[in-house]
Structure formats: C-alpha cells, structure tokens
Amino acid sequence: MSADSRAGRPGAAGRVLVIEDDLAVIRVVERSLRAAGFETLAALEGKEGIALAQSRQPDLVLCDIGLPGLDGHGVLQCLRQDEATRDIPFIFLTGSIAHDDVRLGMRLGADDYLTKPFMPKDLVEAVQARLARRRQITEGMQSKLAAMMGRLDLPTAASGARGDVGLPDRRQLEADVAADWRQRRSEASPLIAGVVRALDVDRNDARLGHVALESLQQQVEERIAAAAAAHGVACRAARLVGFGRFGVVFPPGVQLAAATAAMQALLQTLRSAYWLQGGEVFVQFSAGVAAGAAPVRDDASLRENLTQVLLQAETASRPAPGEARQSVGVFRDGMRAGPVENLRLDADLHHAVERGQLHVVYQPQVELASDVVLGFEALVRWQHPEFGTVSPAHFIPLAEQNGTILRIGEWVLWESCRQVADWLRRGFPVGRVAVNVSAVQMQEADVPELVRAALAAHALDPCRLQLEITESAVLHDLARAKAMIRDVRELGVSVAIDDFGTGQSSLAYLQQLKFDELKIDRSFIQGVERHSDRIAIVELILNLAEKLGFTVTAEGIENEVTRDLLTSRRCQLGQGYHFARPMSVEAVAAVMSGRRPGMLLTAADLARAARGGEAATRSGGALPPRDASAG
Ligand code: C2E
Ligand code: MG
Ligand code: MG
C-alpha cells in the first residue's frame, strides 16, 4: 500500500517526529504532513526529541541540525546507539548544506537532507520516499522469513519438537537469570522484566486451527529471540505458561526507560504480519514492563523477585477496560498486581468467614409513591487485612469459581436473618431484607433448606425475607430455577429477579416463572430520562408487571429526575444513591433511634441522617411486609 492510499485516516500514513527549535518551521511541517495523512509529534530540543522517539516510536524523524543544547548530530548519534530507535529513518532539516555537515551526518547514519525553506510538496515527497524504501526492506525480509516459515508449516515440521528453535521455558529462564546475576552479586540494581501477551487468543484459536497456531507461536518466538539477541546476550526471553505469553528479563544495570523502549520496539516487531497458510495474518499484542524493587541476593530470593516482577509486568500489560493501548504499560506502585492479588484473594477467601472478615451492609429500598422505606438489600463486604475493603463485584466471581460462595452465601443469609430479627425485636420498622443468591448456590446447594433453617433459627417470619436471583442464573438452568423458586415461595419467602436488563432481557421467559419482583438493573436506570428507547422499555416492563402481577424495583436511582420519571410511570420501588448508599448496621441503628414506635422510616429521614440531622419518622404503623412489598 502506498503512503498516498493510506492517507484517508488521520495518521494512517505514519507518525513523524519533528525536532526543531523554530516554532514557525514546526507549524509549516505539521500542516504539510497532516494534510498528507501523517500524524506528527514535535519537540523543541534534542533531549526532548530523543525521549519522544523512545516513548512514541515514530516512523521517521525530521531534525534540525542547529539545535540549542544537544545539536542534530548529537540527537542522531543517540538514536542510532539505542536499539529501540536505531532503525528509524532520519532526515536533517538545515538552513544551508555544508559539506562537512553532510559527511558527518552520513557517517552517523542520516538518510536525507532537506534545506529550509522548503516547499510542502518536497517535504512530503522526501518523507514518503524514505518510508517507501523502509517498507521495501522490511517486506523483503518478511517474505524471506515467510518462505522459511511456510516450509515449517508442513505437518511433519509443525508436529516436531520446537524447543530447538523456540524460546526456553520458565525454568531455564530462572537458571539463566540467576547465572547472569551471580556474576554481578555486588550490584544493587533492580531486576527489570517485560511481558508480551498475544490478545484474542481464543479468536486466533478459532480462525487458525492447531497446526497454524503452532507455527504462529514459533514465528513469534523467533522474533522475540532475535530481539533479545540484538539487545545483548544477557537479555533473556522465555515462554511463560499458557499460549502467547512471553517474558523478557533485562541484564543487570539496564534502566527502566531503556527497557521500556526495547519492549516498545519488540511490540512493533510482533505486530507486523505473520505468514501462515499461504497468507498474511496479523496478531494483536500488548506489553508491560516492571522494575523489581528489592535487590537480588541469592537464588531463592531471585526466583521470588522474578515471579513478582513478571507478574507486575503482566499486570502493566493489561490495558484498562475499553482502553485501546498501543504503547508499553509501565508498572506503577499503585497498580494492583491483578494476578498476584487474585491468587491471594482466591486463597484467602477460603478463610474469610472463619476469620470474621465478612460483614453485611444494608441498602434501603423505597416505595416511590409514598417515600416509605419498605426494606433493605443485604450486600456483603470483605475487609481484607492487606487489601482493605474488597468489592463484592470483584470477589463474588472468584468465590463462585473456587466454590467458597457456598459457605459465604450461607453465612450472608444466616447473618441477614439474624440482623433483621434483632432489629424487629428492637421495634425498628425495617420491613424486609433481600438477600442475593448466586447461580452456583442455586446449582449446588439446597437453597430452600438453608432458608428454612435460617428462618427457624432466628424465629423470623418468612415474609420478612426475599431472595434475589440474577436473570442470568435463572436462564442458565430454567428448570432448576423454576423448582427452587417454587419451593422457596412455598415457605412464604418472596423471590426477585435481579439485574434485569444486563442479560438477554427476555420478557418471554418471565411469563413461564412465578416470582414476586423484578429488579431492573442500574445500568438501565441511571440517566434513563435521557434515553427515550429505555423509557419505552421500562414502560413495557411495567405494563407486563401489571398483567402478570409482579412488583418492579428500579436499581441505581441517582437523582430526582430519574426518581420522578419512574414515579410518574408507576414503578413501585426504587433503590439507589439518591435515597441512600448501602449502610452499616450502626448507620441503620442511628437512623432508627429516636423515632417513636409505630412510625415508618422515609426517604426524607435517610436524607436528613445523611446530612447529619436527626432522623425523624412518619406515622403509619408497621406494615405487614408482604403487603408492603406489593406496593
Ligand atoms: P446487586 O445485587 O445488583 O446490588 C446492587 C449493587 O448496586 C450494589 O453494589 C450497590 O451498592 C450498587 N448500587 C446501589 N445503588 C446504586 C446507585 O445509585 N448507583 C450505583 N452506581 N450503584 C448503586 P455492590 O454492593 O458493590 O454489589 C455488587 C454486586 O455483588 C451485587 O449487585 C450482587 O450481584 C453481588 N453481591 C453483593 N452481595 C452479595 C451476596 O451476599 N451474595 C451474592 N451472591 N452476591 C452478592
Ligand atoms: Mg441484588
Ligand atoms: Mg441488581
């Protein structure tokens, strides 16, 4: 593809770095190149330009010779000495061409000269010509490599051992790195490692098949091995566990900035086309780099260090959700080492209940028409001694994976029943409590029996309890869900379908189930007033609810406008930060205290309490909760 034909998308023609101390020249260069589809970066000084070249990896550098401080020749020399920037095409911008300058420039590796003032057309042509030449060279190399790899794609070669051409494994890496560091025992420099990961592994698996994948892995390993070798023998690379994960460990004494630049160059190499099954294949990679804090003393602590730093590099390689990252992520202290953390959390979850690290908070549910608090949703919290409060959104999925959700879910049910029974005995008009039940509990536990036992143990009226089951859990095993819901309701406990709107949102299956309440997910409700399509769906759900006889709760009401809209559409219940955040047991007690017996709690009381005022109450007598929940 020529640079011209790529010029449609801004930046599609390539990225050019301009190092020039004259702002007017920068403006002209930028305008000309952008019009031709290039992305531009600019630096006013040599050192700044070098840093930009290392971090942003331009396709070409345009540089003035007479810069203040480090001049153009110095810049070129630095770029050519660094592996990460060594091959970037380099064009000098100069007022007049002196022969000594040209000789020096050529010796240092300049590709071309442009004299100022220049015509925009000449500038663009010079840049395009350089980039075209560079493409020719890399494509030539790639097709040679491809021809070689094509031969390796034969089933016999692919099924053979690949250890001879590929990277060593993790164990070998540890041994190699230990050997490197033994020689430098006295040095206290940090251990620096990078990780590259192939993204979309499942998709590649599906589109390429096994044999091609094997060949791809091999090509990737070849490129990494070549990059590591180019960086000096002491730079170690290895295959990590799982497909498409590789570690690179830098030799003692390398700085983090240099390692980052080297990883960036590697990333670029890995993202260019692979030759597979007679065609080009592109694979997305992400990369991260980290510097281990502790100096290495002996082999055992080195192994520990290495594990830690590789995990940190891997953490840094993961872009935030929704972020499309092109550059290498650098591990920062505040970043939680995802895999390490999850490993720890996974282990610690097994003891969370016995160690008393769990507690429950309670979020009020308000009847929209009357403003009365009809109940509370019980939400579990985990106070981890090291990580602090861990969100259930994080640890519940882990607990579902490792099975501890059975124990945790049982505890939450038990504790919530105990708490509400206690509040009722103290005369607090708390209505009912809603407890979340996980899909795993539904599959593997005898939920109706657990419920029966918890109610009996705390002498709690069944109408004071509601179970929340997510829509996806119901759909996962409709028959089982139906049976469980039936048994639980026979005990006199009500059932709500939770998070409606996040899964299939199928109104059709709702008709097959007998349940009491439907909770519309907060992602649907937040700012609903700004989306006419969502309003229409909410209206549809409310109409259906009226026909089928279930109550609707809107989750995630965050402001008055949303509340008013839902109230006007006759949605019965609401929950959300507009009324109250999940409250501690102490906070609930504080709101309740001081009220006269027989008075109901209202949203206004919650608001007053949140402002630090006294919790007033409203008369009306304690409602039988089942009636109350029916709105
Ligand atoms: P959920 O059952 O849908 O609970 C509602 C979540 O929405 C809670 O998050 C609550 O704090 C949050 N929320 C409430 N109002 C608002 C609002 O106005 N705006 C926003 N942005 N958020 C609001 P939380 O406590 O982090 O719980 C997350 C999820 O974890 C729960 O979603 C539930 O699925 C699960 N979970 C919590 N406790 C338990 C439990 O004991 N067992 C099981 N199986 N799952 C639980
Ligand atoms: Mg819930
Ligand atoms: Mg929910």
Side-chain angles (χ1 to χ4, degrees):
M1 198 193 288
S2 76
D4 282 337
S5 66
R6 294 177 187 206
R9 193 162 43 86
R15 179 187 292 164
V16 176
L17 169 63
V18 194
I19 310 173
E20 163 69 68
D21 61 332
D22 185 341
L23 256 180
V25 176
I26 290 187
R27 294 278 169 270
V28 174
V29 171
E30 282 187 331
R31 214 173 316 132
S32 317
L33 290 177
R34 283 183 189 161
F38 288 95
E39 177 193 342
T40 56
L41 304 167
L44 289 164
E45 286 182 357
K47 284 204 171 131
E48 187 193 352
I50 292 169
L52 264 181
Q54 285 168 339
S55 63
R56 301 293 304 278
Q57 292 284 307
D59 298 303
L60 185 140
V61 174
L62 286 170
C63 183
D64 186 18
I65 295 184
L67 291 167
L70 187 67
D71 71 358
H73 291 125
V75 171
L76 176 58
Q77 195 165 12
C78 282
L79 293 182
R80 290 297 180 250
Q81 278 168 0
D82 184 342
E83 158 67 15
T85 51
R86 200 173 56 190
D87 298 327
I88 301 176
F90 191 100
I91 300 178
F92 273 125
L93 299 174
T94 171
S96 64
I97 293 190
H99 281 288
D100 283 353
D101 272 354
V102 175
R103 258 203 308 278
L104 177 58
M106 288 302 177
R107 196 154 45 79
L108 292 173
D111 292 283
D112 204 352
Y113 280 81
L114 264 175
T115 34
K116 294 184 270 190
F118 41 76
M119 300 292 291
K121 186 171 130 295
D122 294 339
L123 168 75
V124 171
E125 274 177 13
V127 168
Q128 286 174 341
R130 268 303 127 200
L131 291 177
R133 177 81 192 112
R134 174 53 47 110
R135 261 195 300 279
Q136 257 176 4
I137 295 170
T138 40
E139 277 166 14
M141 268 166 53
Q142 267 171 14
S143 60
K144 269 193 208 125
L145 188 72
M148 244 167 66
M149 291 304 167
R151 284 199 294 279
L152 286 172
D153 216 350
L154 295 170
T156 45
S159 56
R162 71 173 134 122
D164 47 348
V165 262
L167 294 174
D169 62 8
R170 172 65 176 260
R171 211 173 258 206
Q172 187 61 46
L173 177 74
E174 281 176 5
D176 291 345
V177 172
D180 293 343
W181 282 81
R182 260 195 299 275
Q183 295 171 1
R184 305 279 211 113
R185 193 177 275 278
S186 58
E187 247 179 65
S189 66
L191 179 64
I192 296 182
V195 165
V196 281
R197 293 183 312 126
L199 305 175
D200 286 342
V201 171
D202 292 344
R203 196 171 65 91
N204 289 329
D205 214 354
R207 71 177 169 153
L208 297 176
H210 222 75
V211 174
L213 214 57
E214 187 92 4
S215 166
L216 173 66
Q217 169 110 357
Q218 186 154 1
Q219 293 186 44
V220 169
E221 291 189 17
E222 296 257 345
R223 288 188 194 182
I224 295 174
H231 210 75
V233 278
C235 186
R236 305 291 183 183
R239 211 179 320 127
L240 304 178
V241 175
F243 173 79
R245 292 167 70 250
F246 308 92
V248 177
V249 181
F250 290 86
V254 166
Q255 300 295 307
L256 185 60
T260 308
M263 290 303 292
Q264 185 69 48
L266 174 59
L267 199 53
Q268 222 114 327
T269 311
L270 292 177
R271 281 175 178 160
S272 57
Y274 294 86
W275 191 260
L276 285 174
Q277 296 167 328
E280 277 188 328
V281 171
F282 289 87
V283 180
Q284 277 306 309
F285 282 87
S286 75
V289 65
V296 184
R297 264 168 261 104
D298 52 75
D299 284 6
S301 78
L302 176 119
R303 259 199 305 280
E304 217 167 274
N305 265 305
L306 189 60
T307 305
Q308 175 79 1
V309 79
L310 283 171
L311 282 165
Q312 289 177 336
E314 173 150 0
T315 303
S317 78
R318 292 178 196 282
E323 180 197 1
R325 192 168 61 199
Q326 295 302 312
S327 55
V328 175
V330 180
F331 184 81
R332 284 175 285 103
D333 257 358
M335 254 184 206
R336 281 204 166 154
V340 185
E341 183 198 12
N342 283 349
L343 224 63
R344 278 288 306 280
L345 292 182
D346 185 87
D348 292 349
L349 268 174
H350 290 272
H351 311 289
V353 174
E354 293 80 63
R355 290 179 183 163
Q357 293 168 350
L358 299 182
H359 67 275
V360 181
V361 290
Y362 298 86
Q363 187 175 32
Q365 299 177 320
V366 176
E367 185 180 50
L368 293 177
S370 66
D371 236 17
V372 172
V373 175
L374 294 188
F376 290 81
E377 176 172 3
L379 295 160
V380 67
R381 292 290 180 266
W382 183 14
Q383 199 62 37
H384 190 280
E386 202 174 308
F387 297 118
T389 308
V390 187
S391 154
H394 191 124
F395 77 80
I396 294 285
L398 283 177
E400 286 177 331
Q401 273 165 32
N402 69 16
T404 51
I405 189 66
L406 296 176
R407 178 86 187 87
I408 292 171
E410 192 180 337
W411 181 83
V412 174
L413 175 67
W414 193 269
E415 171 57 20
S416 308
C417 288
R418 188 201 61 74
Q419 184 61 67
V420 167
D422 178 56
W423 279 337
L424 290 167
R425 262 191 298 279
R426 287 154 70 183
F428 293 175
V430 286
R432 57 140 199 233
V433 67
V435 176
N436 292 282
V437 174
S438 144
V440 175
Q441 283 176 281
M442 217 175 76
Q443 284 296 314
E444 295 178 22
D446 185 350
V447 176
E449 175 50 30
L450 293 177
V451 166
R452 198 201 51 72
L455 293 172
H458 302 107
L460 188 65
D461 189 336
C463 67
R464 300 289 184 174
L465 179 65
Q466 179 168 84
L467 296 190
E468 293 191 5
I469 307 159
T470 63
E471 183 199 11
S472 53
V474 170
L475 289 179
H476 178 72
D477 189 342
L478 196 57
R480 203 174 161 94
K482 262 188 190 170
M484 193 205 90
I485 293 170
R486 181 199 61 218
D487 293 350
V488 167
R489 292 181 84 233
E490 262 170 24
L491 291 172
V493 170
S494 62
V495 172
I497 307 295
D498 201 1
D499 298 349
F500 186 79
T502 52
Q504 285 182 309
S505 313
S506 155
L507 290 170
Y509 80 86
L510 292 183
Q511 309 190 31
Q512 302 178 35
L513 286 174
K514 286 239 171 306
F515 59 93
D516 303 271
E517 205 168 302
L518 183 79
K519 299 187 74 178
I520 307 179
D521 190 69
R522 65 169 188 268
S523 59
F524 220 84
I525 298 297
Q526 284 164 328
V528 63
E529 61 276 7
R530 294 192 299 274
H531 304 272
S532 55
D533 50 339
R534 291 192 199 166
I535 297 176
I537 294 172
V538 170
E539 284 172 350
L540 192 78
I541 295 173
L542 288 167
N543 282 340
L544 193 75
E546 213 159 50
K547 284 202 191 79
L548 298 180
F550 58 80
T551 303
V552 176
T553 300
E555 294 185 310
I557 298 181
E558 291 185 349
N559 60 54
E560 229 167 300
V561 183
T562 309
R563 184 204 58 192
D564 291 347
L565 182 138
L566 291 160
T567 311
S568 73
R569 302 303 198 277
R570 297 208 307 280
C571 174
Q572 294 97 330
L573 291 175
Q575 185 177 339
Y577 295 169
H578 172 65
F579 302 112
R581 294 189 176 244
M583 298 161 77
S584 66
V585 171
E586 295 75 32
V588 173
V591 175
M592 298 288 183
S593 69
R595 50 163 282 290
R596 277 181 287 126
M599 291 193 136
L600 290 179
L601 189 69
T602 68
D605 300 329
L606 295 171
R608 249 193 306 279
R611 287 197 305 268
E614 212 179 290
T617 45
R618 210 182 83 163
S619 65
L623 280 186
R626 196 51 175 277
D627 294 351
S629 72

